[in-house]
Amino acid sequence: MTYTPPPRDPKAAPIRINLLSDTQTRPTPAMREAIARAEVGDEQIGDDPTVNLLCERVADLLGKEAAVFLPSGTMCNVAATLVHCRPGDEILAHETAHIIAREGGAHAALGGFQIMPLSGADGQFSPDAFRKALHPRTRYQPPQTLVSVEQTANIGGGTIWKKAELDEVVKIAKANGLATHMDGARLLNATVATGITAHDMAAGWDSAWIDFSKGLGAPVGAVIAGSRDFIDEVWRWKQRLGGSMRQAGICAAACVYALDHHVDRLADDHANARALARGLAQIAGIEVQEPETNLVFFTPDGTGVSGEKMVAALRQRGVLLAMMDGRIRACTHLDVTAAMIEETVGMVREIVRKA
């Protein structure tokens, strides 16, 4: 399930269109100016005003009591499970969730947790599947202490959990004594696409976080929010994991800038993803999953060109995509324009025609 871009070919054209991931974004000139102007202090002792401002804003955005700035979304997930669970506990999540497929076994290695993978279409499990996976609390089975969802569901195609489904999962969890965690790496993509606020989307979830290094275009950082007691414990794990920083305001300033300038524009990425999907779907032999946000998954096998060969051929032309879970994934972001989408579709059409 890992990203598998082709090996670098010295004869390939320079990368001009980067659809590998929204992590590929570069800070805009205005964001760089905000970084340069950042007021800073020692973040580790709570003395960086820009970091403090960012955490206050994210806590308010998600409707939580407090928040903490971490270097990455993976650390948000790891720290959250280390607070919510104890060694030997069981976490329930979709079988393609980031905590299972993308975090190097950190939850088992660092916390001694096992994760029960739940199946379901488009990267989401149903409330009924969650309910059926619960077992009685006996000494023969691991305590089930946490349920985690990923909003949006990456491997599912960037799909959006419906608010009613999220609420039902929370209701079942609380009735059975489980804590709730939302991996919100692309949560703001979901809020922009649906019009539902992040506050409402995260309501009922004990912990939730947003990533700034994806569609929001910052170079680094994520912020996790929850109750004050929860965040106090996250801080302890942040210290243990080496995530405490010093003058981190230079990083947080980019995130504050992103909140002010890069949220509403996520709609442009969604429009570009839809345009890419429409263009690809018009090419005979290509199957495309209709995008809900900024991720486009497709398979060209019906054209006589395998996914691997298509990715390699596009790389030769200066377009970077990835194979993921047997499909090609294209990700739109603030460095991708409508003209680039049109050009990419044209290249795919040319590759298929020549084949």
Side-chain angles (χ1 to χ4, degrees), residues 17-18 51 151 158 190 196 209 226 244 257 259 280 282 289 342 355:
I17 302 174
N18 193 332
V51 171
Q151 180 75 307
I196 300 171
W209 61 272
S244 293
Y257 180 89
L259 285 177
L280 293 172
Q282 292 169 4
Q289 180 179 347
E342 186 176 351

Side-chain angles (χ1 to χ4, degrees), residues 267-344:
D268 298 337
D269 300 340
H270 301 168
N272 283 334
R274 291 192 298 270
L276 177 60
R278 283 195 304 270
L280 293 172
Q282 292 169 4
I283 301 172
I286 292 184
E287 293 186 9
V288 187
Q289 180 179 347
E290 184 67 25
E292 295 183 16
T293 49
N294 67 321
L295 303 179
V296 180
F297 282 79
F298 67 99
T299 53
D301 296 356
T303 67
V305 181
S306 69
E308 290 82 1
K309 289 183 178 179
M310 177 64 74
V311 169
L314 287 167
R315 175 64 186 84
Q316 289 293 117
R317 292 162 170 79
V319 180
L320 191 59
L321 298 94
M323 287 297 300
M324 186 178 292
D325 199 26
R327 299 184 292 171
I328 300 175
R329 191 190 80 164
C331 185
T332 58
H333 50 78
L334 62 83
D335 290 341
V336 175
T337 65
M340 291 177 180
I341 294 298
E342 186 176 351
E343 186 177 357
T344 299

